[in-house]
Amino acid sequence: PSFVFAPVTWLFGPTAAFNVAVLLAPVLSGWCMWLALGRLSQMWVARAAGAVLWGFSPFMFSHEIYGHLSLTVLFFPPLLFALLYDFLADDRRDPRVIGLLIGLLTTAQFFTGTETLAITTITTLIALVAAVVLAPKAAWRRRRRIGIAAGMAALVVGVLLGYPVWWLLAGPRHVTGQAWPGSAVAGAGLGGIIHIGVRAHLGSFFAQIGGYFGAIGPNTAFLGSGLLILIAVSAVVWARQRVAWVLMVTAGVAWLLSLGT
């Protein structure tokens, strides 16, 4: 983001560039989800709803108010899903091209935020395992294509990120020990997916230090009963589609992981 908004920084200063980036982050993230959902549906209402839910989710809101730009520029998960879906559902896609694009996309996310990269990587591996278990014969037929794509992606990432990853993990100023020694290790509450939170409409002292005096919004993991019912109905309607099962399994495991230690 610093590189992309460099012209704004040169013309108006870093504060203006940061404000523009934070303002555009939900829009950019939602637009990427709009593109990804085009693989599953051509209904613009459904795609728009998914884009809005993604771009203005509790996760997005909770990090926007603290100025966590690395966690609000969420282009990586939907675009990675679109590439993987195109590759696995359409045999006409060149595996070398898909691997190259995944490698470049991963590199872009590394320089945007390693936390989102780690979360998405773990979730993607869960989804791929679920896909193989649900469709082993289809996966076996595509084994050569999958190997070529994975090899190309690994080559691109190795060339472009070999030195940056070393610098991050073992460079002269790498972090040792616990990154935030004073913070507690915690996760989302068990009922956080349904309950909006007791402090949702109140302010936060830490946010006020940064200049935000509004409400802190819902729990990061909040979905709400209405959306959960919609997801359940959708799962029943699309029960014959393997991609629906893959998404449901991935979402369920991701929710369990969000509960923390």
Side-chain angles (χ1 to χ4, degrees):
S2 300
F3 175 77
V4 172
F5 289 99
V8 182
T9 305
W10 293 333
L11 291 173
F12 304 105
T15 301
F18 179 80
N19 288 339
V20 172
V22 171
L23 180 67
L24 293 180
V27 181
L28 172 66
S29 303
W31 179 67
C32 291
M33 180 57 75
W34 164 274
L35 295 178
L37 292 177
R39 272 67 178 175
L40 301 179
S41 174
Q42 295 303 314
M43 296 176 58
W44 73 268
V45 175
R47 295 174 66 185
V52 170
L53 287 171
W54 178 258
F56 298 93
S57 66
F59 182 89
M60 173 71 75
F61 184 86
S62 63
H63 290 294
E64 275 272 290
I65 64 176
Y66 290 104
H68 295 166
L69 188 60
S70 62
L71 293 172
T72 54
V73 183
L74 298 177
F75 64 88
F76 184 60
L79 293 185
L80 180 62
F81 170 81
L83 288 174
L84 290 174
Y85 186 87
D86 285 350
F87 173 61
L88 296 175
D90 190 350
D91 289 334
R92 294 174 298 177
R93 303 292 184 181
D94 190 330
R96 293 166 296 182
V97 174
I98 293 293
L100 173 63
L101 293 176
I102 291 177
L104 293 175
L105 187 65
T106 302
T107 302
Q109 180 56 52
F110 177 87
F111 288 111
T112 301
T114 53
E115 190 169 356
T116 301
L117 176 59
I119 294 172
T120 308
T121 300
I122 293 172
T123 309
T124 301
L125 291 175
I126 295 170
L128 292 176
V129 170
V132 171
V133 171
L134 291 170
K137 293 182 179 179
W140 181 252
R141 287 197 307 268
R142 291 173 171 84
R143 64 188 184 280
R144 183 174 181 274
R145 288 169 46 80
I146 294 173
I148 294 174
M152 176 60 74
L155 177 63
V156 173
V157 169
V159 171
L160 297 179
L161 292 182
Y163 180 73
V165 169
W166 171 83
W167 182 270
L168 175 70
L169 299 179
R173 299 187 64 183
H174 69 280
V175 177
T176 58
Q178 191 173 347
W180 301 95
S183 64
V185 178
L190 189 61
I193 197 172
I194 297 178
H195 301 296
I196 195 170
V198 295
R199 289 182 51 84
H201 305 292
L202 302 177
S204 167
F205 171 73
F206 296 103
Q208 291 175 9
I209 293 176
Y212 177 79
F213 296 91
I216 62 174
N219 294 320
T220 306
F222 175 72
L223 293 179
S225 56
L227 187 56
L228 289 174
I229 292 173
L230 177 62
I231 292 173
V233 172
S234 300
V236 173
V237 172
W238 296 99
R240 294 187 178 182
Q241 299 290 332
R242 283 199 182 104
V243 67
W245 284 95
V246 171
L247 292 175
M248 289 297 295
V249 170
T250 305
V253 177
W255 174 66
L256 289 176
L257 293 178
S258 75
L259 301 177
T261 56

